[in-house]
Amino acid sequence: QGIGEPGPSRPTHIEQYVIPMRHRFTGSVWCRRSFRVPPEWKGKQVWLKIGGVNSQGWFWVNDHYVGTLDSFCGSFKFLLNPFLAEGSNTIVVRVSNKVISRKGLMNWLHQFGGLYRSVELEATAPVRIEDVWAKSDFDNRRANFQVTLMAPPFQNISGDYRVTVRVSTPDGRSAGQAELPVSKIEDTGTQINIPVTLDPFRPWSPETPNLYRVDVTLTHGGQAIDGWAERFGVRKLERRGPDIYLNNRRYFLRGFGDDYVYPLTIASPASREEHRKHLEIARSYGFNYVRLHTHVEVPEYFEAAEEAGIMIQAEMPYEGSRPATFGVTEPGIYAPLDYLHELVRHYRRYTSLATYSLGNEGMHALEVREPLYQLAKILDPSRFVMHQDGVDTLSNPSSRAIRANYEGISDLRGGAINVPLAPEETQGSMPVILHEYLNLSGPPDPRLEPLFTGAQVPPYNLKEEKDNAEKIGIGWKLAERCIQGGHEMQSVFQKLGLEHARALPELDGYDYWTLVDVNALVPQGLLDMFWQPKRSRPAYFRQFNGPTVLLLPDLAFDGTDRVYTAGTRVSQRVACSNYSEQAIGATRVLWTLSTDGRTVAQGRLENVQIAQGTVSQLGKIEFVTPRVNHPTAAVLRVEIEGKGVENEWKFYIFPDASSRSELQKVSATDEVRRKLSTAYPSLGVVSAQPGPSDVLITEQLDADALRYLQSGARVVLVSLSGFSPVQPGLRLGWWWSGNQRGTALAESRVYGDFPVEEGMPFFALRRIFRETMLLDSKWQNRVDPLLVTLGKDGYLLSVFQTKVGSGKLLASGLDLLSDKPEARHLLDQFVRYAQSVQFDPQTEMPLAELKRIAGGASNP
């Protein structure tokens, strides 16, 4: 709202991150509102309903103190009748964000202050309906309505009361009704249960999020005195040994993490429409589950999830005493039983709620672990209970590893956080849900700067990023390609990681971490902070994150087996992870291998049987890679005939040795000649008097290399060992960025016919990506960058070129001397380029400077 001065945020959560804010304010704010009680409310009870306040609120009516609200779940109501006056009335609220909030991760970016949901007045009859909870009875095709009736304070009421329940479908069609007489209603609450058989019976699931409406009416002497309307769905969520079942079929939780990221408002919007728009995006990517990390979202979020088809794991916040093992403490009252009771009573009404999680990566005090679990099962046996999300490791009871979830305190176990997974990590007596899985930290994207129009100040400046890229000689076009290359790598690892998980038949789900970027400077989300896609699009992502997923389980997780030489015989097993509503029997699986848009091989697996609720082995695909005269991207596409289920994988096929160049006027040092003797038997020895058209292949800038450059010849350097190399690797960081945020190739003839694509051809370079060096002041604008990585400390060079005196240098940290077909072919392209007139570097470095940088090689 523009209150306060700009500055860094002031988070209070244990896991916290300071962000730049346009306005921040710590302290108290007073709000005042006048109202008149409508005449028709005479004789009724008048309630002040508070939707949510952070961190704490104090309420007065007509100068009478009504109460304080600092609850975990947020909403509460106060009876106002003793304080109301004829005519005008005044409500005064003091809100402070100076005290610790009890709302968990809602305050990890900034402890905001204010009334973040609506404040309302409501009138009810003195004898009223206090609560309605629709409890599913799936197997009997009905709902049991637990209705709580309440008499006025200090009164127990008897009389001719009746409760009528009418259920309807969304289009208004009757789906069942029932009525029950009530003779006595107490001021502490009278609870009755009314079963209603549902016809038509339409159960709720993420695939079919069917909802009913129930209208409950309380009558006295035949006259309606109070009513209640509620939406609900019927579903059966249960654990059967180590497996999860939904509506009597084994189910797989395709979850994502929600870390309460709202860069414009800080607080979650109290808008069902806004949350439904976001959750429908999640569904379009195939997700059916969300973990709310140590917080509970606003009710509008749960309502939107019911409509979109997303099951929710609601989580209690960090609070109070925690074991020293984890070093987690926070001022406040340690009241987990109270928090759990509050969580259940507030949110069990929502069909979307699936799991109560009692915390994150810790353990509650020993004396309350079992009571917490037992209380949850008493209050609501229809949901799962997870003691802690995270820190579970191997299921072996003899392991010394931490086990935060075990029988008697939890229904679910949190699995390993990253890949590759060992099969035994998914086994045991409890269902396993992978904790904060993958978490692929990619490149910051300063192009998003214009979207930071609200509370959070953009953490980067696009103009400065562009200017810096030009200053160091990268240029914005290549810098932008690094961002795109990072998004491409995220997309690749998303597929590798989720397919790896889906191939494990004992696994019960994962929480992909996260759907949107949690941090703009370390963005690891599938989408950016503004719910915009990066590289992955829904149709691509659903191939491996849908109910039914086709798999090639023998493919290496790290992508090191995606390159073939022409004429290679390939055999791949085909499997299917099927958690759709039913088995698929007597079907055909079709496959095609295509290159350059045409089919080069195809086949089918006949009479395939695909079980429901497990991973089925379907057979083998076998083919011979086609003969090619240039490197070719090949796509293997597999589909279940007529079911709309397909998946595809990219491979690269390289020509065999017969297509390599006969190298003329190309020499190599003794060690290089030894390594390349089979591939290039015509390589010459180092010349004592090289000419301008001679090329030397070398692993170091020694006296021979410097002599070639001084003579105006060309040098292809195939190692960066003399330039203090770093090895960023190809794995993106987990949570915090590593030295790999995105790699890109410059537009250059140096690559010849090597398969250069937008961003980075991941699999084509995967096995030979090795050394890089930091593009610091020694190199700025002295080299032409040809292969660049955005690292955590700046830009890194893997391939570059420059003029050195009258000579020319092409340097590479790629593993070009290996016997891999991609290495041989790329070296061939580099040598051809070095011999051509296209080898024309636009930058220059003095020979003496190059000698100094290279470590003082001996004078020629």
Short mmCIF file of all heavy atoms in Angstrom, two decimals, residues 146-200:
data_model
loop_
_atom_site.label_atom_id
_atom_site.label_comp_id
_atom_site.label_asym_id
_atom_site.label_seq_id
_atom_site.Cartn_x
_atom_site.Cartn_y
_atom_site.Cartn_z
N GLN A 146 -21.46 -34.01 8.99
CA GLN A 146 -21.32 -33.74 10.41
C GLN A 146 -21.71 -32.28 10.63
O GLN A 146 -20.98 -31.37 10.25
CB GLN A 146 -19.89 -33.99 10.87
CG GLN A 146 -19.65 -33.72 12.35
CD GLN A 146 -18.24 -34.06 12.76
OE1 GLN A 146 -17.79 -35.20 12.67
NE2 GLN A 146 -17.50 -33.04 13.20
N VAL A 147 -22.86 -32.07 11.23
CA VAL A 147 -23.41 -30.73 11.44
C VAL A 147 -23.28 -30.38 12.92
O VAL A 147 -23.73 -31.15 13.79
CB VAL A 147 -24.88 -30.65 10.99
CG1 VAL A 147 -25.42 -29.23 11.19
CG2 VAL A 147 -25.00 -31.08 9.52
N THR A 148 -22.67 -29.25 13.19
CA THR A 148 -22.53 -28.77 14.57
C THR A 148 -23.49 -27.63 14.79
O THR A 148 -23.47 -26.62 14.07
CB THR A 148 -21.09 -28.30 14.84
OG1 THR A 148 -20.19 -29.39 14.58
CG2 THR A 148 -20.95 -27.86 16.28
N LEU A 149 -24.39 -27.80 15.78
CA LEU A 149 -25.36 -26.77 16.15
C LEU A 149 -24.93 -26.13 17.45
O LEU A 149 -24.34 -26.78 18.31
CB LEU A 149 -26.75 -27.39 16.30
CG LEU A 149 -27.27 -28.18 15.09
CD1 LEU A 149 -28.61 -28.83 15.42
CD2 LEU A 149 -27.39 -27.30 13.85
N MET A 150 -25.26 -24.86 17.62
CA MET A 150 -24.78 -24.12 18.79
C MET A 150 -25.91 -23.28 19.37
O MET A 150 -26.64 -22.58 18.64
CB MET A 150 -23.62 -23.21 18.39
CG MET A 150 -22.86 -22.65 19.58
SD MET A 150 -21.79 -23.88 20.37
CE MET A 150 -20.50 -24.03 19.15
N ALA A 151 -26.06 -23.37 20.69
CA ALA A 151 -27.01 -22.52 21.41
C ALA A 151 -26.28 -21.26 21.89
O ALA A 151 -25.05 -21.23 21.92
CB ALA A 151 -27.60 -23.27 22.58
N PRO A 152 -27.00 -20.21 22.30
CA PRO A 152 -26.35 -19.01 22.82
C PRO A 152 -25.55 -19.33 24.08
O PRO A 152 -25.78 -20.34 24.75
CB PRO A 152 -27.52 -18.07 23.14
CG PRO A 152 -28.65 -18.59 22.33
CD PRO A 152 -28.46 -20.06 22.23
N PRO A 153 -24.59 -18.47 24.42
CA PRO A 153 -23.77 -18.71 25.61
C PRO A 153 -24.62 -18.92 26.87
O PRO A 153 -25.62 -18.23 27.08
CB PRO A 153 -22.92 -17.45 25.71
CG PRO A 153 -22.86 -16.91 24.32
CD PRO A 153 -24.18 -17.24 23.71
N PHE A 154 -24.24 -19.93 27.65
CA PHE A 154 -24.85 -20.24 28.95
C PHE A 154 -26.30 -20.71 28.84
O PHE A 154 -27.08 -20.61 29.77
CB PHE A 154 -24.78 -19.04 29.90
CG PHE A 154 -23.41 -18.41 29.96
CD1 PHE A 154 -23.19 -17.14 29.44
CD2 PHE A 154 -22.34 -19.10 30.53
CE1 PHE A 154 -21.93 -16.56 29.49
CE2 PHE A 154 -21.08 -18.53 30.58
CZ PHE A 154 -20.87 -17.25 30.06
N GLN A 155 -26.66 -21.23 27.65
CA GLN A 155 -28.02 -21.75 27.47
C GLN A 155 -27.96 -23.12 26.80
O GLN A 155 -27.18 -23.33 25.87
CB GLN A 155 -28.86 -20.81 26.61
CG GLN A 155 -29.09 -19.42 27.19
CD GLN A 155 -30.00 -18.60 26.31
OE1 GLN A 155 -31.06 -19.07 25.88
NE2 GLN A 155 -29.61 -17.35 26.05
N ASN A 156 -28.82 -24.02 27.26
CA ASN A 156 -29.06 -25.28 26.59
C ASN A 156 -30.52 -25.27 26.16
O ASN A 156 -31.43 -25.11 26.98
CB ASN A 156 -28.78 -26.46 27.51
CG ASN A 156 -27.30 -26.58 27.82
OD1 ASN A 156 -26.47 -26.26 27.00
ND2 ASN A 156 -26.98 -27.04 29.03
N ILE A 157 -30.75 -25.41 24.83
CA ILE A 157 -32.07 -25.19 24.25
C ILE A 157 -32.71 -26.53 23.89
O ILE A 157 -32.07 -27.40 23.31
CB ILE A 157 -31.97 -24.31 22.99
CG1 ILE A 157 -31.28 -22.98 23.32
CG2 ILE A 157 -33.34 -24.07 22.39
CD1 ILE A 157 -32.03 -22.11 24.28
N SER A 158 -34.00 -26.65 24.25
CA SER A 158 -34.79 -27.81 23.83
C SER A 158 -35.95 -27.32 22.98
O SER A 158 -36.44 -26.20 23.14
CB SER A 158 -35.30 -28.58 25.04
OG SER A 158 -34.24 -29.06 25.82
N GLY A 159 -36.42 -28.17 22.07
CA GLY A 159 -37.56 -27.78 21.26
C GLY A 159 -37.64 -28.58 19.98
O GLY A 159 -36.91 -29.56 19.77
N ASP A 160 -38.55 -28.15 19.13
CA ASP A 160 -38.82 -28.83 17.86
C ASP A 160 -37.88 -28.31 16.77
O ASP A 160 -38.26 -27.48 15.94
CB ASP A 160 -40.29 -28.62 17.46
CG ASP A 160 -40.63 -29.31 16.15
OD1 ASP A 160 -39.89 -30.24 15.76
OD2 ASP A 160 -41.63 -28.92 15.52
N TYR A 161 -36.67 -28.79 16.79
CA TYR A 161 -35.67 -28.39 15.79
C TYR A 161 -35.45 -29.54 14.81
O TYR A 161 -35.49 -30.72 15.19
CB TYR A 161 -34.35 -28.02 16.46
CG TYR A 161 -34.40 -26.75 17.27
CD1 TYR A 161 -34.67 -26.78 18.63
CD2 TYR A 161 -34.18 -25.52 16.66
CE1 TYR A 161 -34.72 -25.62 19.38
CE2 TYR A 161 -34.22 -24.34 17.41
CZ TYR A 161 -34.50 -24.39 18.77
OH TYR A 161 -34.54 -23.24 19.49
N ARG A 162 -35.19 -29.18 13.56
CA ARG A 162 -34.91 -30.17 12.53
C ARG A 162 -33.81 -29.63 11.63
O ARG A 162 -33.73 -28.43 11.36
CB ARG A 162 -36.15 -30.50 11.69
CG ARG A 162 -37.33 -30.99 12.50
CD ARG A 162 -38.47 -31.43 11.59
NE ARG A 162 -38.22 -32.72 10.97
CZ ARG A 162 -38.44 -33.89 11.56
NH1 ARG A 162 -38.90 -33.94 12.82
NH2 ARG A 162 -38.22 -35.02 10.92
N VAL A 163 -32.97 -30.56 11.16
CA VAL A 163 -31.92 -30.21 10.22
C VAL A 163 -32.19 -30.94 8.90
O VAL A 163 -32.35 -32.17 8.89
CB VAL A 163 -30.53 -30.60 10.75
CG1 VAL A 163 -29.45 -30.33 9.69
CG2 VAL A 163 -30.21 -29.84 12.03
N THR A 164 -32.27 -30.17 7.83
CA THR A 164 -32.51 -30.73 6.50
C THR A 164 -31.26 -30.54 5.65
O THR A 164 -30.68 -29.45 5.62
CB THR A 164 -33.70 -30.04 5.82
OG1 THR A 164 -34.85 -30.18 6.66
CG2 THR A 164 -33.98 -30.66 4.46
N VAL A 165 -30.87 -31.61 4.96
CA VAL A 165 -29.70 -31.58 4.08
C VAL A 165 -30.15 -31.87 2.66
O VAL A 165 -30.79 -32.90 2.42
CB VAL A 165 -28.64 -32.61 4.53
CG1 VAL A 165 -27.49 -32.68 3.53
CG2 VAL A 165 -28.13 -32.29 5.92
N ARG A 166 -29.80 -30.96 1.74
CA ARG A 166 -30.12 -31.15 0.32
C ARG A 166 -28.82 -31.03 -0.48
O ARG A 166 -28.12 -30.02 -0.37
CB ARG A 166 -31.14 -30.12 -0.16
CG ARG A 166 -32.51 -30.28 0.47
CD ARG A 166 -33.49 -29.25 -0.08
NE ARG A 166 -34.84 -29.47 0.41
CZ ARG A 166 -35.29 -28.99 1.56
NH1 ARG A 166 -34.49 -28.25 2.33
NH2 ARG A 166 -36.53 -29.24 1.96
N VAL A 167 -28.55 -32.05 -1.28
CA VAL A 167 -27.34 -32.08 -2.10
C VAL A 167 -27.72 -31.91 -3.56
O VAL A 167 -28.71 -32.51 -4.04
CB VAL A 167 -26.57 -33.41 -1.91
CG1 VAL A 167 -25.31 -33.43 -2.77
CG2 VAL A 167 -26.21 -33.60 -0.44
N SER A 168 -26.94 -31.12 -4.29
CA SER A 168 -27.21 -30.90 -5.71
C SER A 168 -25.90 -30.90 -6.50
O SER A 168 -24.82 -30.67 -5.94
CB SER A 168 -27.95 -29.59 -5.92
OG SER A 168 -27.21 -28.50 -5.41
N THR A 169 -26.03 -31.17 -7.77
CA THR A 169 -24.87 -31.08 -8.67
C THR A 169 -24.68 -29.61 -9.07
O THR A 169 -25.55 -28.78 -8.84
CB THR A 169 -25.13 -31.93 -9.92
OG1 THR A 169 -26.30 -31.45 -10.59
CG2 THR A 169 -25.32 -33.40 -9.55
N PRO A 170 -23.54 -29.29 -9.68
CA PRO A 170 -23.30 -27.89 -10.05
C PRO A 170 -24.37 -27.29 -10.97
O PRO A 170 -24.59 -26.08 -10.94
CB PRO A 170 -21.94 -27.94 -10.75
CG PRO A 170 -21.25 -29.11 -10.14
CD PRO A 170 -22.35 -30.12 -9.91
N ASP A 171 -25.04 -28.12 -11.74
CA ASP A 171 -26.08 -27.60 -12.63
C ASP A 171 -27.45 -27.54 -11.96
O ASP A 171 -28.46 -27.28 -12.61
CB ASP A 171 -26.16 -28.44 -13.90
CG ASP A 171 -26.46 -29.91 -13.63
OD1 ASP A 171 -26.68 -30.27 -12.46
OD2 ASP A 171 -26.47 -30.69 -14.60
N GLY A 172 -27.49 -27.77 -10.63
CA GLY A 172 -28.73 -27.63 -9.89
C GLY A 172 -29.57 -28.88 -9.77
O GLY A 172 -30.64 -28.85 -9.15
N ARG A 173 -29.12 -29.99 -10.32
CA ARG A 173 -29.88 -31.23 -10.26
C ARG A 173 -29.77 -31.85 -8.87
O ARG A 173 -28.70 -31.89 -8.27
CB ARG A 173 -29.34 -32.19 -11.30
CG ARG A 173 -29.99 -33.57 -11.29
CD ARG A 173 -29.33 -34.46 -12.33
NE ARG A 173 -29.77 -35.84 -12.21
CZ ARG A 173 -29.31 -36.86 -12.93
NH1 ARG A 173 -28.37 -36.63 -13.84
NH2 ARG A 173 -29.76 -38.09 -12.76
N SER A 174 -30.88 -32.32 -8.35
CA SER A 174 -30.89 -32.93 -7.03
C SER A 174 -30.06 -34.21 -7.03
O SER A 174 -30.14 -35.03 -7.94
CB SER A 174 -32.31 -33.27 -6.60
OG SER A 174 -32.31 -33.96 -5.36
N ALA A 175 -29.24 -34.37 -5.97
CA ALA A 175 -28.39 -35.55 -5.85
C ALA A 175 -28.63 -36.29 -4.54
O ALA A 175 -27.90 -37.21 -4.20
CB ALA A 175 -26.92 -35.16 -5.97
N GLY A 176 -29.64 -35.90 -3.77
CA GLY A 176 -29.95 -36.59 -2.53
C GLY A 176 -30.32 -35.62 -1.42
O GLY A 176 -29.94 -34.45 -1.44
N GLN A 177 -31.11 -36.12 -0.45
CA GLN A 177 -31.47 -35.28 0.68
C GLN A 177 -31.82 -36.16 1.87
O GLN A 177 -32.10 -37.36 1.73
CB GLN A 177 -32.62 -34.36 0.35
CG GLN A 177 -33.95 -35.04 0.08
CD GLN A 177 -35.02 -34.02 -0.23
OE1 GLN A 177 -34.82 -33.13 -1.05
NE2 GLN A 177 -36.16 -34.14 0.43
N ALA A 178 -31.80 -35.55 3.06
CA ALA A 178 -32.15 -36.25 4.29
C ALA A 178 -32.52 -35.21 5.34
O ALA A 178 -32.21 -34.02 5.21
CB ALA A 178 -30.98 -37.12 4.77
N GLU A 179 -33.22 -35.70 6.41
CA GLU A 179 -33.66 -34.79 7.48
C GLU A 179 -33.54 -35.52 8.81
O GLU A 179 -33.72 -36.74 8.89
CB GLU A 179 -35.12 -34.38 7.22
CG GLU A 179 -35.63 -33.33 8.17
CD GLU A 179 -37.03 -32.88 7.80
OE1 GLU A 179 -38.00 -33.54 8.25
OE2 GLU A 179 -37.15 -31.91 7.04
N LEU A 180 -33.21 -34.75 9.85
CA LEU A 180 -33.04 -35.36 11.16
C LEU A 180 -33.58 -34.41 12.23
O LEU A 180 -33.24 -33.21 12.23
CB LEU A 180 -31.55 -35.64 11.43
CG LEU A 180 -31.22 -36.48 12.66
CD1 LEU A 180 -31.67 -37.93 12.43
CD2 LEU A 180 -29.72 -36.44 12.95
N PRO A 181 -34.43 -34.92 13.14
CA PRO A 181 -34.90 -34.06 14.24
C PRO A 181 -33.83 -33.91 15.32
O PRO A 181 -33.03 -34.82 15.56
CB PRO A 181 -36.12 -34.81 14.76
CG PRO A 181 -35.83 -36.26 14.44
CD PRO A 181 -35.06 -36.25 13.15
N VAL A 182 -33.86 -32.75 15.99
CA VAL A 182 -32.92 -32.48 17.08
C VAL A 182 -33.74 -31.92 18.23
O VAL A 182 -34.42 -30.90 18.08
CB VAL A 182 -31.83 -31.49 16.67
CG1 VAL A 182 -30.85 -31.27 17.82
CG2 VAL A 182 -31.09 -31.98 15.43
N SER A 183 -33.66 -32.55 19.39
CA SER A 183 -34.48 -32.12 20.52
C SER A 183 -33.73 -31.22 21.50
O SER A 183 -34.37 -30.45 22.24
CB SER A 183 -35.02 -33.34 21.28
OG SER A 183 -33.94 -34.13 21.76
N LYS A 184 -32.40 -31.26 21.47
CA LYS A 184 -31.65 -30.47 22.45
C LYS A 184 -30.38 -29.94 21.80
O LYS A 184 -29.66 -30.68 21.13
CB LYS A 184 -31.31 -31.31 23.68
CG LYS A 184 -30.64 -30.52 24.79
CD LYS A 184 -30.39 -31.40 26.01
CE LYS A 184 -29.75 -30.61 27.14
NZ LYS A 184 -29.51 -31.44 28.35
N ILE A 185 -30.09 -28.66 22.02
CA ILE A 185 -28.89 -28.02 21.47
C ILE A 185 -28.18 -27.31 22.62
O ILE A 185 -28.79 -26.51 23.34
CB ILE A 185 -29.25 -27.02 20.35
CG1 ILE A 185 -30.03 -27.74 19.23
CG2 ILE A 185 -28.00 -26.35 19.81
CD1 ILE A 185 -30.55 -26.82 18.16
N GLU A 186 -26.88 -27.59 22.79
CA GLU A 186 -26.12 -27.06 23.90
C GLU A 186 -25.22 -25.90 23.47
O GLU A 186 -24.85 -25.78 22.29
CB GLU A 186 -25.27 -28.16 24.53
CG GLU A 186 -26.11 -29.32 25.06
CD GLU A 186 -25.26 -30.41 25.69
OE1 GLU A 186 -24.02 -30.37 25.50
OE2 GLU A 186 -25.83 -31.30 26.36
N ASP A 187 -24.84 -25.06 24.43
CA ASP A 187 -23.99 -23.92 24.11
C ASP A 187 -22.55 -24.33 23.84
O ASP A 187 -21.77 -23.56 23.28
CB ASP A 187 -24.04 -22.88 25.24
CG ASP A 187 -23.49 -23.42 26.55
OD1 ASP A 187 -23.34 -24.65 26.67
OD2 ASP A 187 -23.20 -22.60 27.44
N THR A 188 -22.17 -25.55 24.21
CA THR A 188 -20.84 -26.06 23.88
C THR A 188 -20.83 -26.78 22.54
O THR A 188 -19.78 -27.23 22.08
CB THR A 188 -20.36 -27.04 24.95
OG1 THR A 188 -21.34 -28.08 25.12
CG2 THR A 188 -20.15 -26.32 26.28
N GLY A 189 -22.00 -26.89 21.90
CA GLY A 189 -22.10 -27.51 20.59
C GLY A 189 -22.73 -28.87 20.63
O GLY A 189 -22.41 -29.71 21.48
N THR A 190 -23.68 -29.09 19.75
CA THR A 190 -24.33 -30.38 19.59
C THR A 190 -24.00 -30.88 18.18
O THR A 190 -24.26 -30.18 17.19
CB THR A 190 -25.84 -30.27 19.76
OG1 THR A 190 -26.12 -29.88 21.12
CG2 THR A 190 -26.53 -31.59 19.46
N GLN A 191 -23.45 -32.08 18.10
CA GLN A 191 -23.00 -32.61 16.81
C GLN A 191 -23.91 -33.73 16.36
O GLN A 191 -24.20 -34.66 17.12
CB GLN A 191 -21.55 -33.12 16.97
CG GLN A 191 -20.77 -33.19 15.68
CD GLN A 191 -19.31 -33.49 15.97
OE1 GLN A 191 -18.91 -34.65 16.10
NE2 GLN A 191 -18.51 -32.46 16.11
N ILE A 192 -24.38 -33.66 15.13
CA ILE A 192 -25.20 -34.71 14.56
C ILE A 192 -24.60 -35.15 13.23
O ILE A 192 -23.88 -34.39 12.58
CB ILE A 192 -26.66 -34.25 14.36
CG1 ILE A 192 -26.72 -33.07 13.37
CG2 ILE A 192 -27.31 -33.88 15.68
CD1 ILE A 192 -28.13 -32.67 12.99
N ASN A 193 -24.88 -36.37 12.86
CA ASN A 193 -24.37 -36.91 11.60
C ASN A 193 -25.54 -37.34 10.73
O ASN A 193 -26.41 -38.10 11.18
CB ASN A 193 -23.44 -38.10 11.86
CG ASN A 193 -22.12 -37.67 12.48
OD1 ASN A 193 -21.25 -37.17 11.80
ND2 ASN A 193 -22.00 -37.85 13.79
N ILE A 194 -25.53 -36.88 9.49
CA ILE A 194 -26.63 -37.17 8.57
C ILE A 194 -26.04 -37.78 7.29
O ILE A 194 -25.38 -37.08 6.52
CB ILE A 194 -27.41 -35.89 8.22
CG1 ILE A 194 -27.91 -35.22 9.51
CG2 ILE A 194 -28.57 -36.21 7.28
CD1 ILE A 194 -28.68 -33.93 9.25
N PRO A 195 -26.24 -39.07 7.05
CA PRO A 195 -25.76 -39.67 5.81
C PRO A 195 -26.73 -39.41 4.66
O PRO A 195 -27.95 -39.44 4.85
CB PRO A 195 -25.68 -41.16 6.15
CG PRO A 195 -26.72 -41.35 7.21
CD PRO A 195 -26.81 -40.07 7.98
N VAL A 196 -26.17 -39.17 3.48
CA VAL A 196 -26.98 -38.96 2.28
C VAL A 196 -26.37 -39.77 1.14
O VAL A 196 -25.19 -39.59 0.80
CB VAL A 196 -27.02 -37.47 1.87
CG1 VAL A 196 -27.78 -37.29 0.56
CG2 VAL A 196 -27.65 -36.63 2.97
N THR A 197 -27.15 -40.69 0.58
CA THR A 197 -26.72 -41.43 -0.59
C THR A 197 -26.78 -40.52 -1.81
O THR A 197 -27.78 -39.80 -2.01
CB THR A 197 -27.60 -42.67 -0.81
OG1 THR A 197 -27.50 -43.52 0.34
CG2 THR A 197 -27.17 -43.44 -2.04
N LEU A 198 -25.74 -40.54 -2.62
CA LEU A 198 -25.60 -39.59 -3.73
C LEU A 198 -25.99 -40.26 -5.05
O LEU A 198 -25.47 -41.31 -5.42
CB LEU A 198 -24.16 -39.09 -3.80
CG LEU A 198 -23.66 -38.38 -2.53
CD1 LEU A 198 -22.18 -38.07 -2.65
CD2 LEU A 198 -24.45 -37.10 -2.27
N ASP A 199 -26.89 -39.62 -5.75
CA ASP A 199 -27.32 -40.08 -7.06
C ASP A 199 -27.65 -38.86 -7.94
O ASP A 199 -28.63 -38.17 -7.64
CB ASP A 199 -28.54 -40.99 -6.94
CG ASP A 199 -28.98 -41.55 -8.29
OD1 ASP A 199 -28.16 -41.53 -9.23
OD2 ASP A 199 -30.15 -41.98 -8.39
N PRO A 200 -26.83 -38.57 -8.92
CA PRO A 200 -25.72 -39.36 -9.46
C PRO A 200 -24.50 -39.32 -8.55
O PRO A 200 -24.24 -38.32 -7.87
CB PRO A 200 -25.42 -38.69 -10.79
CG PRO A 200 -25.82 -37.26 -10.58
CD PRO A 200 -27.03 -37.31 -9.69
#
